[in-house]
């Protein structure tokens, strides 16, 4: 990946998309990188589309604006493929990760992406339901992001998931999220 990695997350309110961006930033910060994590939303309610962003760099970050040309676009809810312009500002080198049971080739065709763009899918919602019984795809997507970008090790990510979720949830929920992150890492598919 590039010296500075920029990620744009697309999700719906209540899916944990903003939390995922923050946990990824914490994991990268623990690894000695400079990071930013911030949401873009107004008075949205649960279920409304939103965006969140990450910037991760080995050098100090001085830019403070939305990510306009992402290296990675993460879509936490596949219904957003029809609702918003997911490919906006993408480059030939932009990676796309979609939470869906569909094959990456189906998503490539739907988004009309050139062969040069890598497309990944992971059924993050199913993994979450299996691991802790709620349709919150954030931990599974974090594992997949970790695998496809290599910006942080799986162990570092799991430690930060443990820290972040440990403040708010029972051990059963924490363990479920850790397992979801591991499975997202293992089950992500590439076209």
């Amino acid at each position: 990946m590039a010296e500075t990695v920029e990620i744009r997350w697309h999700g719906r309110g209540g899916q944990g998309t903003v939390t995922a961006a923050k946990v990824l930033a914490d994991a990268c910060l623990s690894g000695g990188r400079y990071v930013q994590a911030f949401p873009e939303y107004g008075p949205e309610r649960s279920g409304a589309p939103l965006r969140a962003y990450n910037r991760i760099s080995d050098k100090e970050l001085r830019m403070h604006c939305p990510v306009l040309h992402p290296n990675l676009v993460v879509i936490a809810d596949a219904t957003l493929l029809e609702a918003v312009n997911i490919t906006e500002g993408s480059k030939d080198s932009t990676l796309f990760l979609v939470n869906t049971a569909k094959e990456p080739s189906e998503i490539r065709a739907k988004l009309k992406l050139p062969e040069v763009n890598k497309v990944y899918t992971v059924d993050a919602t199913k993994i979450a339901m299996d691991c802790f019984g709620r349709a919150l795809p954030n931990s599974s997507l974090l594992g997949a992001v970790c695998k496809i970008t290599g910006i942080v090790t799986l162990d570092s990510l799991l430690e930060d998931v443990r820290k972040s979720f440990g403040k708010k949830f029972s051990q059963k929920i924490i363990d479920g999220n850790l397992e979801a992150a591991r499975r997202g890492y293992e089950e992500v598919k590439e076209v």
Side-chain angles (χ1 to χ4, degrees):
M1 292 243 80
E3 181 179 288
T4 298
V5 177
E6 295 187 317
I7 301 172
R8 184 174 68 216
W9 298 77
H10 291 273
R12 293 189 181 276
Q15 289 183 312
T17 308
V18 173
T19 299
K22 289 178 182 177
V23 170
L24 180 61
D26 287 344
C28 292
L29 183 64
S30 296
R33 295 214 169 128
Y34 294 92
V35 298
Q36 293 176 349
F38 51 99
E40 176 184 274
Y41 50 59
E44 276 85 359
R45 63 201 176 283
S46 183
L50 62 81
R51 292 180 183 199
Y53 305 97
N54 284 111
R55 266 194 196 90
I56 302 153
S57 181
D58 293 329
K59 297 184 177 180
E60 187 174 348
L61 293 165
R62 297 188 182 275
M63 186 183 307
H64 300 281
C65 62
V67 170
L68 301 176
H69 303 287
N71 302 96
L72 172 63
V73 176
V74 182
I75 299 98
D77 187 322
T79 64
L80 292 172
L81 297 173
E82 306 288 334
V84 297
N85 183 3
I86 299 300
T87 61
E88 176 185 9
S90 66
K91 308 174 277 193
D92 286 344
S93 59
T94 300
L95 309 176
F96 291 85
L97 171 62
V98 182
N99 170 19
T100 182
K102 294 181 179 177
E103 290 298 316
S105 57
E106 292 178 69
I107 300 301
R108 176 187 302 289
K110 182 180 209 61
L111 294 176
K112 298 181 175 99
L113 291 169
E115 291 296 321
V116 70
N117 289 108
K118 290 187 180 179
V119 178
Y120 301 85
T121 61
V122 64
D123 197 348
T125 301
K126 180 187 180 313
I127 292 170
M129 291 299 293
D130 291 350
C131 292
F132 54 90
R134 295 193 62 203
L136 296 172
N138 56 347
S139 294
S140 310
L141 287 169
L142 282 168
V145 166
C146 179
K147 173 79 173 257
I148 66 177
T149 64
I151 57 177
V152 66
T153 66
L154 180 60
D155 289 338
S156 293
L157 177 70
L158 294 175
E159 184 57 36
D160 276 284
V161 166
R162 184 178 286 109
K163 280 191 244 177
S164 295
F165 290 14
K167 300 171 190 172
K168 305 174 198 171
F169 300 107
S170 70
Q171 191 61 46
K172 181 180 177 182
I173 297 295
I174 295 166
D175 291 343
N177 276 278
L178 293 171
E179 181 60 22
R182 278 188 205 95
R183 282 189 54 192
Y185 184 91
E186 293 165 2
E187 295 177 28
V188 65
K189 296 183 271 185
E190 179 184 353
V191 84

